[in-house]
Amino acid sequence: MTMSTGSAAERERTRPAAVEPTLRPGQGARRPPVKVWLQPVLISLAVVAAFVACYVGLQRDPQPHQVPIAVTGPSLPDEIQQALGDAVEVHPTADAAMARHALEGHDVVAVLGSAGPGHLKLEIAGAAGASTTSAVSTLVDAYARGAGAHVTTVDVVPLAKHDARGLAGFYLAFGVSLAGFVLGSNVLGLAGVMRLRHRLLLLIGASAAIGAVGALLVGPVLGAAPAPLVPLVFVLALLAAVTAFTTKLLGVLLGPIGLPVTTLLLLTVGNATSGAVIGADLLPAGARAVSALLPPGAAVRGIADLSYYNGSHLAGPVITLAVWAIVAGTLLSLRPRLMRRRAAVA
């Protein structure tokens, strides 16, 4: 048996260096296919075009469309509907108490009624968003000028003290979506070291943790969303799970373009049409159609309902998020079985 001599450092110095492959004289490297050059460029151009078009384009010229307002009085509802047309959806209401109840339950975003001869009272829900309440105020002011009336505006459902611009819900949903995307894209690379059921458990557990961290920060720590903590954690955990499951699913099904597709669908289109920055009633028809159906839009509505309207319309957002999560998780779970069955048939 031969004993090695010399220190480890000396042995390392005397070890032959690895030789990098070199090209023979006159031998050129094979040029990569055109697809290899084009794919990353086209994907990045698509992402920047979609991001700018959504976030800047949707804010360029927002127009109110059937914004729901309650109007009291015998003749005022018809006058408002005729004067403002399709910009508002008038809900004739018997008295001020019923109108206020509709406003506090998020069935309407404003209440308009007479406060005496030549005087109108407009009650708004600041929690509905600055763009929506500003649009309603502008419309009512225009009507009042034509009718020679004076308008007094009162904010009945104001935003939280530490969310003066009403953007906490948007940033919260965007941050949780981004965290879910990062989680899902990282778990994509664990297929070789973790079983599928372990990866799914990891996604579920980490999504719950993301929801808890987001809810704790925006609520007790920063005071920007006065929502009950446990329901808010649940909504945010659902959003994180949806984004993580969808990211992994599209990455598995679509390969290299799966992550860009998820970026476009959820982080770009989903957040831009969520109704948090530009109220859903001010979005173009196409954006309005998908607003509540995409996870970020559903989450933003859930956050607002929990924070300002006692969860009056929480069922819709929760069902939307749950359906996305269940479908994506089920497809991920069934894919290996379907692949084995297809291979057996072949």
Side-chain angles (χ1 to χ4, degrees):
M1 182 175 180
T2 303
M3 300 294 293
S4 60
T5 60
S7 66
E10 292 172 343
R11 291 197 302 272
E12 185 66 28
R13 284 196 298 269
T14 58
R15 182 179 300 164
V19 179
E20 294 185 0
T22 58
L23 296 175
R24 295 176 182 175
Q27 179 185 10
R30 188 166 62 90
R31 180 174 297 177
V34 174
K35 179 182 177 181
V36 174
W37 292 87
L38 285 181
Q39 181 171 297
V41 174
L42 294 178
I43 288 175
S44 60
L45 291 177
V47 170
V48 70
F51 193 93
V52 174
C54 287
Y55 281 92
V56 178
L58 292 179
Q59 298 182 62
R60 185 178 59 173
D61 187 27
Q63 296 294 328
H65 177 76
Q66 293 188 336
V67 181
I69 64 172
V71 182
T72 61
S75 60
L76 189 58
D78 291 335
E79 294 175 8
I80 293 296
Q81 189 69 78
Q82 185 175 1
L84 302 183
D86 198 46
V88 297
E89 179 185 284
V90 172
H91 294 229
T93 311
D95 55 48
M98 291 181 62
R100 173 72 70 86
H101 180 74
L103 182 62
E104 293 174 344
H106 206 192
D107 296 317
V108 297
V109 299
V111 173
L112 181 64
S114 175
H119 196 104
L120 297 174
K121 183 178 181 181
L122 177 64
E123 296 178 313
I124 61 172
S131 59
T132 300
T133 54
S134 177
V136 171
S137 297
T138 300
L139 291 169
V140 172
D141 286 342
Y143 166 79
R145 284 195 300 271
H150 176 72
V151 181
T152 299
T153 302
V154 180
D155 191 348
V156 176
V157 189
L159 289 162
K161 177 183 177 182
H162 299 293
D163 185 26
R165 299 177 61 197
L167 295 177
F170 168 75
Y171 291 124
L172 178 59
F174 190 92
V176 170
S177 298
L178 182 60
F181 173 79
V182 172
L183 171 64
S185 58
N186 275 275
V187 172
L188 266 174
L190 299 180
V193 296
M194 292 181 71
R195 294 180 180 272
L196 176 61
R197 65 173 180 270
H198 294 154
R199 281 176 274 147
L200 294 178
L201 288 173
L202 173 60
L203 290 174
I204 293 171
S207 296
I210 290 170
V213 170
L216 285 168
L217 284 174
V218 81
V221 176
L222 300 175
L229 184 61
V230 173
L232 184 59
V233 169
F234 179 67
V235 169
L236 297 181
L238 272 179
L239 176 60
V242 166
T243 312
F245 280 132
T246 304
T247 300
K248 180 167 172 55
L249 177 65
L250 293 180
V252 169
L253 295 179
L254 303 180
I257 67 170
L259 296 184
V261 169
T262 308
T263 302
L264 292 173
L265 178 64
L266 299 183
L267 298 183
T268 303
V269 176
N271 281 291
T273 62
S274 65
V277 177
I278 297 295
D281 298 310
L282 277 66
L283 293 171
R288 279 200 311 275
V290 302
S291 178
L293 300 178
L294 293 177
V300 164
R301 286 162 173 76
I303 294 166
D305 277 331
L306 285 170
S307 297
Y308 300 106
Y309 302 104
N310 298 314
S312 56
H313 295 281
L314 186 61
V318 167
I319 290 172
T320 299
L321 292 170
V323 167
W324 272 82
I326 291 170
V327 170
T330 301
L331 291 176
L332 278 173
S333 302
L334 293 179
R335 185 176 181 274
R337 189 180 307 172
L338 295 175
M339 294 294 289
R340 288 194 298 269
R341 186 174 300 175
R342 184 180 301 174
V345 172

